Amino acid sequence: MGSITTEAKVGLFILIGMLLLGYMTMQVGQRGVGIKKGYNVDVVFDNVAGLNKYSSVQIAGVEVGRVEDILLKDGKALVRLRITPSVTLEKDVSAAIKTRGVLGDKYIEITPGTRGMAALEPGEQIRNVERQADIDRLLNQISAIADDVKTVSGTLSNVLGGQAGQDSIGGLLENMQALTRNINSLVVSNEATIRSMLLNAQELTNNLNRVVVQNDDKVGEVIENLRGASREMEKTFASFSQIADEVNRGEGTIGQLMKDNTTITNLNKTLASLQEVSDKINQGKGTLGKLVNDEETVNNLNQSLSGINRYVTKAEQFRTFLGYRGEYLWDKSNFKSYLDIKIQPKQDQFYLLGLVSDPRGRLTVRDYTPTGNVTTRTEEWDKSGLLFNVQIGKRFRNVVLRGGILESTGGFGMDYMALNDRLKLTFEAFDFSSDRNAHLKGYADVQLFKYLYLTGGWDDFISNRGNSSGFVGFSIRFEDDDLKYLLTSTPIPK
Amino acid sequence: MKPFSASLDYVGRTVMHYVEEMGRIMTLFFSILFWMMRPPLKARNIFKQMEFVGVKSIFVVVLTGLFTGMVMTLQGYHGFRLFGAETMVGSTVALGMTRELGPVLTSLMVTARAGSAMAAELGTMRVTEQIDALYVMAANPIKHLIVPRVIASVLMVPLLTVVANFVGIAGSYFVGVNLLNINEGDFINNIYKMLELNDIYSGLVKAAFFGLVLSVVGCYKGFNTTGGAEGVGRATTQAVVISSITILVSDYFLTAIMF
Amino acid sequence: MIKLVDVHKSYGKQKVLDGLNLAIEAGKTTVIIGRSGGGKSVLLKHIIGLIKPDSGHVLIEESDITRLSEKDLNEVRKKFGMLFQEAALFDSMTVGENVAFPLREQTKLKDQEIRQIVADRLRAVGLSGVEEKMPSELSGGMRKRVGLARAIALHPRIVLFDEPTTGLDPVMTEAINQLIMDTQKNFNLTCVVISHDIQSIFRIGHKIAMLYEGRIIEYGTPEEIRASDNPVMRQFLSGSVDGPIKVT
């Protein structure tokens, strides 16, 4: 027992405790996700008696969210739902309050809308609300509708009275019939293609829109260039018309050529063969013809459109963060700085590259025993000071594990994220060498504002070289968009 | 009329005594905060106290948590079975442990083990003039003796609570599923359905607060001991009594604030 | 060196110090004698600022420590060493750590140097090689000697002794007296000793002061004290029950 130090026992206990806490919160957190994350959607009911905050929201009996808040608005109940991020609701979904179980727990049942319809954006309202039939109101509405119908039919009979009216209407109807038949056959024969093309085009324009918005300046520039180009074109056209005039008057080589009858005959022949070619194309003969008339072409076009879509989406997923972190070590009275780039190709995975400036440097101790048995011990502070971080990390719910090179030595780290990532508890261990204790570091980061974090902890706390020191400091972390597009323009493995 | 005014006098004096004592504890608390901000803090002292408060309390806390979870399951089972809701036992125990029993029982056990020891140790140091010796050597006793104990308690009691929570729920699972044959899936699912992260976190906040209470009260009583060996005994008893009462009372208010 | 001017201190209704005046000379050993529970320890604690007087001044090398902040008071305290009645060793630390404690607190010396000084001080009190023992393993006399080693670890200019020989056998008493005298001479210390052991006071004291009813009633060299005709002094020295000092 004597060989286990106090620090080791305490450290082990803390580790076990943190693991248990991590396990429990991860288990519980699974359920909590539905409430903490996700987006809001509103729905208005006439009466929500029995519905509670945190009541379940279900689609086909599967929980997809919870009731976040119930408010009174214009004499009706505005219910705010929080929906799990992985579930998208179409714009024409409908909501209803249902009852479950013996105790009569109320929940909200959502009936899915048309597939392929645009999704509800966060903060929007569900329009279709099923409600229990209210006979009185139903009757009232029906009689109002009947009145409307009467007025409409009256007007109609006025318009349609007389022979002329009848004739023109007859013609109109015939035309419409023919038109609709044509459109119908067109649509029917190409239905699938048109639909997928429309969808892709829609997605593309969405994505393009986003790209354009982000690159507003550049677009302006392009338009400016176009304008310049068109000015140039105008000039070119002017000289063309001049040439044409000259040709007409029979001046110059071309003019003489044109005046000549043989030329015209040749030209006619050329045009005739051109006509032939275009006929062939129309009939689907020859390569070009096949290309134009073949359905495959359309498919290829479609595919390339979705390819572009995927590419743009990839860029959206790919994220890079820049970070600076300063720690004031009060026992040593100096300042340690960290500069990091975090590259995050997927939501739960990242690479971390960084520089650490450590004014304290690193202590190396060498024992030197010459022949005379007198040991001299030299202690050197390597003050060059710039250290490197190269780490790969993966996130499992609330726990982030990372490893690689920490402060220019091998090591690993563990982060525990709490309070929606606003609090981060970190433990790092590195610099494992035989002649000194490993460098252990523990600290907590608290988010103060959007980009600013407050940090405090204990650096090298089992040091036997007197390096142990508490510290406080701050860090700045923000996402960098330019860097993202730079990095995604190089090929990424799928 | 004489006995009446005498008893009134007694009541008044007792109340004043407690008010005064509360004030002195608060004064001590603020000077602890003050000295906490003064580096350097000796990591070694803090670790030693962490070992004493945390590591050495694991056994008793595990036992407490385990049997609390088991007993609650056994008792709850008979009640819930009356209306066929025995699968709710697990979630009841889990909620009870994380929100209330985990923090409260853990800190009561730590009070009995470590809070009393703090009072006794500091009390002995006081009556054998060791605290005076610290002053003479220009070393502030609050910083040297009290700050490490308070820091260690505030950090370790929540950690012990985590252990108690886990062991309690595990004990409940063992009794419920293995001995009472409650359906395992329903048992676990109900725990997931009822328990939220906030339950665990709020329990830990409570535990940290109780850690603060028991260490500050224990140190206060020890630090102000007078009257030799008997005084040390008195300080120890009072430290345990006052800490326990404060923990139970403040638990009510913390619960009222948090939920 | 040390001057107490008109110091008053009372606990409840009991006046412990009642207008006490005393000047202690530098480089000498001054012994303060008086009845048990007569305020000798209280007086000593005034000198080092552990107790603040109700009124009056305590001057240490011209600075009035009754008016100093905790921080400045600590600066003054660095000039002091003190040996407590029961030695007041920290029982959670080894003997070595006890002696090293003031060095670690007040200096930035390296471990190696501190070990050197600790060994040196322990040798000075005749206890080489006990660094790794715990205080509870030591006898009363040894504890006092370790306490002395700790008190002189920082080379103080003034050392206060609170009943250094109480509870020791005659041989050990003589050894401690010898040690106090040697230390005083070797380190050229100003010593203030509280005692009611008549034999010891004449042996170690350059100057002797008698504290009675909150004041110093006699002050002088051992010879002057022996020759004093103050009835209180006479009764105290002879140890008789009859006289102005009432046994209650």
Side-chain angles (χ1 to χ4, degrees):
Chain A
M1 274 304 275
S3 61
I4 303 172
T5 62
T6 305
E7 285 85 350
K9 279 189 226 165
V10 175
L12 195 68
F13 174 51
I14 291 177
L15 197 68
I16 292 172
M18 293 304 280
L19 283 178
L20 285 181
L21 178 65
Y23 175 74
M24 285 200 287
T25 52
M26 264 159 73
Q27 291 292 320
V28 173
Q30 279 177 316
R31 276 275 158 179
V33 167
I35 303 161
K36 300 275 183 295
K37 292 191 181 138
Y39 58 95
N40 282 114
V41 170
D42 290 349
V43 54
V44 175
F45 291 104
D46 289 344
N47 188 346
V48 291
L51 194 72
N52 291 317
K53 227 173 159 178
Y54 302 131
S55 286
S56 183
V57 178
Q58 305 185 345
I59 293 178
V62 180
E63 185 173 90
V64 296
R66 297 273 179 102
V67 172
E68 188 171 85
D69 210 354
I70 300 177
L71 307 161
L72 190 65
K73 191 190 164 197
D74 305 334
K76 294 189 174 185
L78 174 75
V79 180
R80 183 153 294 154
L81 313 180
R82 190 169 275 281
I83 307 292
T84 319
S86 59
V87 173
T88 49
L89 301 177
E90 295 83 7
K91 280 208 190 292
D92 59 345
V93 294
S94 58
I97 298 178
K98 297 267 166 91
T99 306
R100 159 190 63 190
V102 208
L103 297 173
D105 292 339
K106 294 274 200 270
Y107 68 100
I108 291 183
E109 171 82 35
I110 293 180
T111 316
T114 319
R115 275 193 72 81
M117 189 115 180
L120 273 176
E121 295 292 319
E124 276 191 288
Q125 193 172 326
I126 296 177
R127 295 281 158 210
N128 305 333
V129 177
E130 286 173 29
R131 59 182 148 209
Q132 286 91 338
D134 186 339
I135 305 287
D136 276 348
R137 194 169 36 203
L138 208 65
L139 288 177
N140 278 339
Q141 278 180 350
I142 287 174
S143 82
I145 290 169
D147 282 350
D148 285 351
V149 169
K150 206 188 283 172
T151 336
V152 170
S153 58
T155 324
L156 262 180
S157 76
N158 282 345
V159 171
L160 295 180
Q163 184 63 38
Q166 238 167 34
D167 283 352
S168 61
I169 286 176
L172 204 69
L173 285 178
E174 250 166 62
N175 281 342
M176 263 169 68
Q177 204 170 1
L179 183 65
T180 45
R181 207 180 296 125
N182 283 341
I183 292 178
N184 203 29
S185 66
L186 188 72
V187 170
V188 164
S189 59
N190 291 297
E191 192 185 354
T193 328
I194 288 175
R195 173 165 296 175
S196 70
M197 259 175 98
L198 281 178
L199 276 180
N200 278 327
Q202 192 177 4
E203 228 174 294
L204 178 66
T205 46
N206 277 346
N207 284 329
L208 279 180
N209 198 28
R210 223 171 320 165
V211 173
V212 169
V213 168
Q214 277 162 0
N215 293 293
D216 210 8
D217 291 349
K218 286 176 204 156
V219 172
E221 212 174 295
V222 170
I223 288 174
E224 195 55 42
N225 286 340
L226 278 177
R227 197 176 294 159
S230 70
R231 231 174 276 135
E232 291 293 314
M233 292 277 272
E234 235 164 80
K235 263 187 247 165
T236 316
F237 281 135
S239 31
F240 263 136
S241 79
Q242 205 181 332
I243 291 171
D245 279 354
E246 284 173 10
V247 169
N248 261 346
R249 269 176 271 136
E251 287 165 15
T253 327
I254 300 178
Q256 269 161 15
L257 215 64
M258 294 287 276
K259 292 281 174 193
D260 202 342
N261 255 342
T262 46
T263 321
I264 292 175
T265 323
N266 286 340
L267 209 62
N268 267 342
K269 272 187 204 160
T270 316
L271 285 175
S273 43
L274 265 179
Q275 176 80 41
E276 219 171 301
V277 171
S278 68
D279 282 352
K280 278 183 186 165
I281 291 176
N282 264 347
Q283 288 153 19
K285 287 178 190 162
T287 327
L288 198 60
K290 267 191 191 142
L291 208 65
V292 172
N293 286 341
D294 197 356
E295 195 152 318
E296 213 177 307
T297 320
V298 180
N299 284 342
N300 284 339
L301 201 64
N302 264 342
Q303 261 170 21
S304 56
L305 281 178
S306 31
I308 295 174
N309 268 341
R310 204 167 41 234
Y311 178 73
V312 176
T313 325
K314 193 104 202 165
E316 290 296 310
Q317 242 177 35
F318 198 95
R319 304 174 76 181
T320 53
F321 299 88
L322 286 180
Y324 167 80
R325 177 179 173 80
E327 297 171 351
Y328 179 73
L329 297 130
W330 73 63
D331 284 359
K332 305 286 156 199
S333 309
N334 61 27
F335 212 75
K336 210 168 164 182
S337 297
Y338 298 76
L339 200 63
D340 288 318
I341 301 179
K342 184 167 147 191
I343 302 167
Q344 187 178 307
K346 277 194 227 153
Q347 196 64 42
D348 61 344
Q349 189 185 333
F350 63 86
Y351 305 96
L352 194 77
L353 306 172
L355 288 176
V356 184
S357 97
D358 186 358
R360 184 184 355 156
R362 194 165 286 279
L363 183 71
T364 31
V365 182
R366 229 172 278 125
D367 281 335
Y368 173 64
T369 315
T371 39
N373 280 341
V374 184
T375 307
T376 45
R377 170 166 282 205
T378 47
E379 300 191 344
E380 273 174 32
W381 285 97
D382 174 16
K383 296 230 179 191
S384 68
L386 258 199
L387 307 170
F388 299 95
N389 271 334
V390 181
Q391 295 171 45
I392 176 168
K394 191 157 170 63
R395 178 168 181 166
F396 306 92
R397 287 185 218 291
N398 285 346
V399 178
V400 178
L401 297 179
R402 55 196 162 78
I405 297 174
L406 279 83
E407 305 201 6
S408 298
T409 65
F412 63 89
M414 192 170 109
D415 305 315
Y416 179 75
M417 321 289 287
L419 307 176
N420 278 342
D421 291 4
R422 287 172 60 87
L423 174 68
K424 186 174 89 171
L425 304 174
T426 300
F427 170 77
E428 289 176 349
F430 51 95
D431 194 12
F432 302 100
S433 59
S434 52
D435 62 334
R436 56 175 172 261
N437 287 346
H439 189 137
L440 300 188
K441 181 175 176 184
Y443 58 89
D445 281 6
V446 186
Q447 188 175 30
L448 284 186
F449 305 109
K450 198 169 175 201
Y451 302 119
L452 186 66
Y453 297 76
L454 200 66
T455 180
W458 209 302
D459 192 19
D460 209 356
F461 52 78
I462 59 162
S463 170
N464 50 1
R465 290 268 177 268
N467 281 346
S468 165
S469 168
F471 65 81
V472 287
F474 67 95
S475 70
I476 300 170
R477 236 173 284 157
F478 58 90
E479 184 164 6
D480 186 297
D481 278 334
D482 295 337
L483 209 58
K484 165 167 93 180
Y485 283 105
L486 190 75
L487 282 164
T488 42
S489 63
T490 52
I492 326 148
K494 278 181 191 172
Chain B
M1 250 7 235
K2 204 94 195 230
F4 178 70
S5 72
S7 58
L8 212 64
D9 189 43
Y10 173 78
V11 169
R13 220 176 310 181
T14 315
V15 168
M16 267 325 284
H17 173 76
Y18 280 114
V19 169
E20 216 176 325
E21 184 129 19
M22 196 122 82
R24 275 197 239 118
I25 292 179
M26 284 315 284
T27 318
L28 176 70
F29 173 66
F30 285 121
S31 47
I32 290 169
L33 283 187
F34 172 79
W35 285 106
M36 218 177 258
M37 302 297 153
R38 295 273 143 138
L41 294 175
K42 291 257 164 62
R44 181 136 192 105
N45 284 348
I46 298 176
F47 274 114
K48 245 175 157 171
Q49 292 305 324
M50 280 171 137
E51 184 189 13
F52 177 69
V53 176
V55 179
K56 295 195 170 158
S57 303
I58 293 178
F59 183 66
V60 60
V61 165
V62 164
L63 276 188
T64 315
L66 187 68
F67 282 100
T68 309
M70 285 163 65
V71 164
M72 279 177 73
T73 311
L74 212 54
Q75 289 286 10
Y77 176 77
H78 295 298
F80 279 111
R81 201 177 49 167
L82 292 179
F83 42 97
E86 54 277 35
T87 53
M88 298 294 289
V89 172
S91 46
T92 313
V93 172
L95 272 180
M97 284 305 288
T98 51
R99 282 183 171 195
E100 294 296 339
L101 293 173
V104 171
L105 290 179
T106 303
S107 26
L108 288 182
M109 293 321 277
V110 175
T111 302
R113 245 203 96 257
S116 63
M118 286 175 195
E121 209 176 332
L122 263 60
T124 311
M125 292 185 80
R126 169 61 85 186
V127 299
T128 57
E129 295 183 303
Q130 290 177 46
I131 287 177
D132 284 339
L134 277 171
Y135 276 121
V136 168
M137 286 185 268
N140 188 291
I142 292 180
K143 184 179 166 183
H144 272 84
L145 301 174
I146 300 184
V147 167
R149 285 170 167 79
V150 172
I151 290 181
S153 305
V154 170
L155 294 179
M156 287 295 112
V157 175
L159 221 52
L160 288 167
T161 304
V162 169
V163 174
N165 287 347
F166 183 80
V167 173
I169 295 171
S172 168
Y173 175 87
F174 174 75
V175 172
V177 173
N178 292 341
L179 302 184
L180 300 173
N181 287 322
I182 299 172
N183 177 284
E184 183 181 351
D186 288 344
F187 186 91
I188 302 245
N189 275 325
N190 274 330
I191 294 182
Y192 289 159
K193 196 158 17 175
M194 303 286 282
L195 200 61
E196 277 166 20
L197 280 181
N198 266 346
D199 297 324
I200 297 177
Y201 287 139
S202 60
L204 297 190
V205 171
K206 275 185 186 175
F209 181 78
F210 297 156
L212 182 73
V213 166
L214 73 92
S215 56
V216 171
V217 171
C219 290
Y220 168 80
K221 277 292 163 193
F223 198 66
N224 294 299
T225 302
T226 48
E230 197 198 333
V232 174
R234 201 167 45 230
T236 311
T237 314
Q238 284 181 354
V240 174
V241 171
I242 294 179
S243 300
S244 308
I245 291 173
T246 314
I247 286 170
L248 291 171
V249 172
S250 62
D251 181 48
Y252 173 79
F253 290 104
L254 285 177
T255 307
I257 291 169
M258 282 194 275
F259 297 106
Chain C
M1 186 85 194
I2 303 171
K3 234 177 177 169
L4 291 98
V5 183
D6 195 25
V7 175
H8 289 263
K9 181 78 189 177
S10 35
Y11 289 102
K13 283 175 192 154
Q14 193 194 356
K15 283 183 184 166
V16 181
L17 300 182
D18 187 14
L20 179 136
N21 286 292
L22 178 65
I24 290 163
E25 291 169 47
K28 295 267 171 65
T29 301
T30 304
V31 183
I32 298 168
I33 56 176
R35 298 191 62 188
S36 304
K40 299 193 298 293
S41 286
V42 173
L43 172 58
L44 206 62
K45 285 179 180 171
H46 272 89
I47 294 176
I48 200 162
L50 284 176
I51 299 176
K52 290 212 190 269
D54 295 339
S55 68
H57 307 284
V58 179
L59 300 163
I60 308 291
E61 291 177 339
E62 307 308 317
S63 62
D64 185 353
I65 64 167
T66 58
R67 279 155 214 278
L68 293 180
S69 67
E70 181 77 18
K71 197 165 158 242
D72 296 330
L73 187 56
N74 276 340
E75 285 308 307
V76 175
R77 277 173 180 160
K78 287 177 188 173
K79 297 171 186 161
F80 281 92
M82 180 161 176
L83 174 57
F84 288 87
Q85 209 161 343
E86 303 291 338
L89 299 178
F90 302 126
D91 13 60
S92 59
M93 299 181 186
T94 64
V95 168
E97 285 167 346
N98 259 293
V99 180
F101 187 86
L103 298 165
R104 285 193 208 282
E105 283 304 308
Q106 307 300 346
T107 68
K108 298 207 183 311
L109 295 174
K110 294 227 169 63
D111 273 9
Q112 192 70 39
E113 298 166 278
I114 288 179
R115 257 197 295 279
Q116 202 76 52
I117 296 172
V118 169
D120 196 55
R121 293 293 185 275
L122 285 174
R123 198 179 319 118
V125 298
L127 281 174
S128 291
V130 297
E131 279 95 332
E132 295 309 317
K133 290 209 163 132
M134 296 306 283
S136 54
E137 299 170 55
L138 303 180
S139 71
M142 284 164 94
R143 290 162 69 99
K144 288 212 168 159
R145 283 191 278 169
V146 174
L148 181 57
R150 186 175 70 180
I152 59 174
L154 272 174
H155 256 300
R157 304 231 288 287
I158 308 161
V159 179
L160 311 180
F161 296 85
D162 193 355
E163 306 200 6
T165 56
T166 305
L168 300 179
D169 63 71
V171 179
M172 188 51 84
T173 301
E174 177 53 23
I176 294 284
N177 284 339
Q178 196 66 48
L179 190 59
I180 292 173
M181 285 190 286
D182 290 348
T183 320
Q184 194 268 332
K185 211 179 295 160
N186 293 341
F187 292 90
N188 190 28
L189 297 172
T190 304
C191 290
V192 182
V193 183
I194 284 179
S195 185
H196 36 225
D197 177 9
I198 303 299
Q199 298 233 299
S200 301
I201 62 178
F202 288 118
R203 182 135 167 65
I204 61 175
H206 298 119
K207 285 282 164 66
I208 293 168
M210 171 73 189
L211 176 68
Y212 182 65
E213 293 189 334
R215 296 161 193 257
I216 301 294
I217 53 159
E218 278 288 318
Y219 177 75
T221 61
E223 290 71 37
E224 288 166 349
I225 293 295
R226 250 194 269 264
S228 167
D229 51 8
N230 187 322
V232 176
M233 197 74 236
R234 296 233 58 84
Q235 188 193 353
F236 191 80
L237 292 182
S238 65
S240 135
V241 186
D242 306 316
I245 306 177
K246 292 280 177 287
V247 184
T248 49

